[in-house]
């Protein structure tokens, strides 16, 4: 991770020639930025700062604020904008990302949404919902069962929303990548981390970690497991996928007013993008009271 002094040089708070730029950023915000920039080269950071300067200049400011740097970081992560799609295609992207942003916001253990966009970008041409980076999770790569189960909800949300809006015969391949990710999540739960209540599996790890290269591990299923055990694994993974998908659809249905409002907000935005604050404002105003109360009650445990 960047040290505070190094981050100050890269972000322009303290330039090599002794000059300085004017920033309106708290120490907490600066620490968060330092963490998010930890894998960036000096040249990449210089580009981000220059982009932030341009964004501030467009608003007639000489002082660089936190949101200037986060917007510049967004440009770096998502890539330059591409030409917009037709209204019909944009609507389908909005259906997917609004569902994802809504479920992310209602899940107590999931990090807050920072932006949701349906603007075609070079790296994410089909839209993206971006969550706030959780420093502790990024450092430790430690995930609880609760977190993985809620992450499964958010991963299946786009497909569930598309089916709800267009019907089963009109779902598309747009969610293929997320469906693959959903399978990886249930594999973590059932196969490699023994997070299942199924009696046949109990606390048994089905796979064994084998080092793959210098920095990664590959999970290998051992031959010692019986056919019945492996069938129980497959059945449990399918159950988790099917039950979670049904629960996501039910949550979207009871929050239909909020879902429709998020879709409209995305379609109506001149930038085809909503900030996390805008998403949360819509959710607070339109979401089902039962889900909001549960979120408020349980959220404190994950702060």
């Amino acid at each position: 991770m960047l040290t505070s002094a190094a981050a100050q040089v890269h972000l322009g708070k303290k330039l090599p020639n002794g000059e300085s730029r004017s920033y309106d950023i708290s120490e907490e915000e600066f620490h968060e930025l330092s963490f998010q920039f930890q894998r960036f080269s000096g040249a990449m950071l210089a580009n981000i700062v220059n982009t932030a300067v341009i964004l501030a200049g467009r608003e007639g400011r000489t002082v660089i604020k936190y949101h200037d740097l986060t917007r510049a970081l967004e440009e770096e992560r998502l890539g330059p904008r591409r030409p917009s799609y037709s209204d019909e295609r944009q609507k389908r992207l909005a259906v997917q990302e609004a569902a994802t942003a809504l479920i992310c916001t209602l899940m107590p253990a999931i990090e807050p949404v920072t932006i949701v966009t349906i603007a075609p970008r070079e790296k994410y041409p089909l839209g993206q919902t971006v969550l706030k980076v959780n420093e502790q999770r990024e450092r430790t790569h430690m995930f609880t069962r609760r977190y993985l189960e809620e992450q499964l909800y958010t991963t299946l949300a786009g497909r569930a929303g598309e089916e709800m809006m267009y019907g089963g015969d009109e779902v598309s391949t747009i969610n293929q990548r997320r469906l693959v990710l959903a399978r990886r999540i249930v594999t973590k739960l059932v196969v490699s981390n023994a997070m299942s209540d199924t009696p046949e599996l109990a606390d048994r790890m089905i796979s064994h970690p084998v080092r793959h290269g210098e920095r990664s591990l590959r999970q290998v299923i051992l031959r010692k497991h019986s056919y019945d055990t492996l069938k129980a694994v497959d059945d449990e993974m399918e159950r988790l996928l099917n039950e979670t998908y049904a629960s996501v659809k039910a949550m979207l249905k009871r929050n239909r007013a909020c879902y429709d409002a998020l879709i409209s907000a995305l379609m109506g935005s001149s930038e085809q993008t909503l900030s996390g604050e805008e998403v949360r404002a819509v959710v607070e105003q339109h979401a089902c009271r039962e889900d909001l109360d549960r979120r408020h009650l349980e959220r404190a445990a994950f702060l």
Side-chain angles (χ1 to χ4, degrees):
M1 179 179 175
L2 290 170
T3 64
S4 180
Q8 286 183 353
V9 171
H10 286 302
L11 294 180
K13 271 191 161 185
K14 185 169 58 180
L15 299 177
N17 61 6
E19 297 178 358
S20 63
R21 289 193 177 101
S22 181
Y23 284 78
D24 181 15
I25 302 175
S26 69
E27 286 302 318
E28 180 180 352
E29 292 170 336
F30 183 68
H31 176 81
E32 182 179 315
L33 287 169
S34 297
F35 180 78
Q36 294 191 60
F37 293 152
Q38 64 177 317
R39 295 184 181 91
F40 288 22
S41 67
M44 293 169 67
L45 289 169
N47 287 336
I48 289 174
V49 172
N50 289 335
T51 301
V53 171
I54 293 171
L55 292 172
R58 287 175 183 172
E59 298 181 2
R61 292 183 284 103
T62 58
V63 175
I64 300 173
K65 296 186 177 182
Y66 174 73
H67 75 269
D68 296 321
L69 286 165
T70 56
R71 286 165 62 196
L73 179 60
E74 172 195 332
E75 291 287 330
E76 178 64 33
R77 283 177 170 168
L78 302 183
R81 287 175 177 263
R82 290 181 170 182
S84 295
Y85 302 123
S86 66
D87 289 346
E88 179 183 352
R89 296 292 182 182
Q90 288 296 108
K91 174 68 178 294
R92 194 174 283 265
L93 295 183
V95 164
Q96 173 186 266
E97 296 305 332
T100 303
L102 173 58
I103 298 300
C104 283
T105 304
L106 291 177
M107 293 287 102
I110 299 299
E111 294 87 354
V113 172
T114 58
I115 63 165
V116 54
T117 181
I118 57 171
R121 308 294 282 266
E122 185 176 287
K123 297 179 182 178
Y124 293 93
L126 300 179
Q128 183 74 355
T129 297
V130 181
L131 304 181
K132 182 178 180 180
V133 175
N134 184 304
E135 182 175 343
Q136 296 304 315
R137 287 196 182 105
E138 287 292 317
R139 284 178 176 276
T140 63
H141 295 283
M142 182 177 67
F143 306 95
T144 65
R145 175 177 174 177
R146 170 70 176 270
Y147 181 81
L148 291 173
E149 289 174 344
E150 291 193 8
Q151 189 182 49
L152 185 60
Y153 270 73
T154 67
T155 304
L156 294 172
R159 171 63 180 266
E162 193 181 30
E163 182 180 339
M164 191 172 87
M165 290 295 189
Y166 295 100
D169 292 337
E170 291 299 322
V171 294
S172 70
T173 59
I174 194 173
N175 282 287
Q176 183 182 54
R177 179 175 59 85
R178 296 187 186 186
L179 292 175
V180 171
L181 177 58
R183 176 66 64 171
R184 290 177 182 172
I185 294 171
V186 295
T187 300
K188 282 184 180 180
L189 285 164
V190 180
V191 177
S192 57
N193 289 282
M195 295 179 177
S196 171
D197 295 327
T198 302
E200 296 91 334
L201 303 177
D203 296 327
R204 298 171 61 184
M205 283 186 62
I206 306 303
S207 65
H208 180 73
V210 177
R211 185 163 296 282
H212 180 65
E214 294 183 359
R215 298 185 177 181
S216 63
L217 295 176
R218 175 179 291 172
Q219 296 292 334
V220 177
I221 296 179
L222 303 179
R223 294 183 178 180
K224 68 177 183 178
H225 298 296
S226 68
Y227 169 82
D228 290 340
T229 297
L230 296 180
K231 185 178 185 306
V233 168
D234 287 340
D235 291 344
E236 176 67 358
M237 290 173 65
E238 289 303 313
R239 182 192 69 79
L240 279 171
L241 286 169
N242 293 334
E243 289 186 2
T244 302
Y245 189 67
S247 296
V248 171
K249 287 197 292 185
M251 182 173 286
L252 289 174
K253 285 180 180 178
R254 66 175 178 265
N255 286 281
R256 180 61 185 266
C258 185
Y259 187 21
D260 289 340
L262 283 172
I263 293 172
S264 297
L266 275 171
M267 293 292 292
S269 169
S270 60
E271 296 293 320
Q272 300 174 320
T273 300
L274 298 177
S275 67
E277 290 76 13
E278 290 171 323
V279 169
R280 285 183 285 278
V282 172
V283 172
E284 289 290 341
Q285 182 177 358
H286 297 286
C288 167
R289 179 49 53 187
E290 173 190 350
D291 289 319
L292 283 176
D293 289 345
R294 178 181 59 84
R295 171 179 173 267
H296 292 317
L297 181 65
E298 299 178 12
R299 179 66 181 162
F302 302 100
L303 296 179

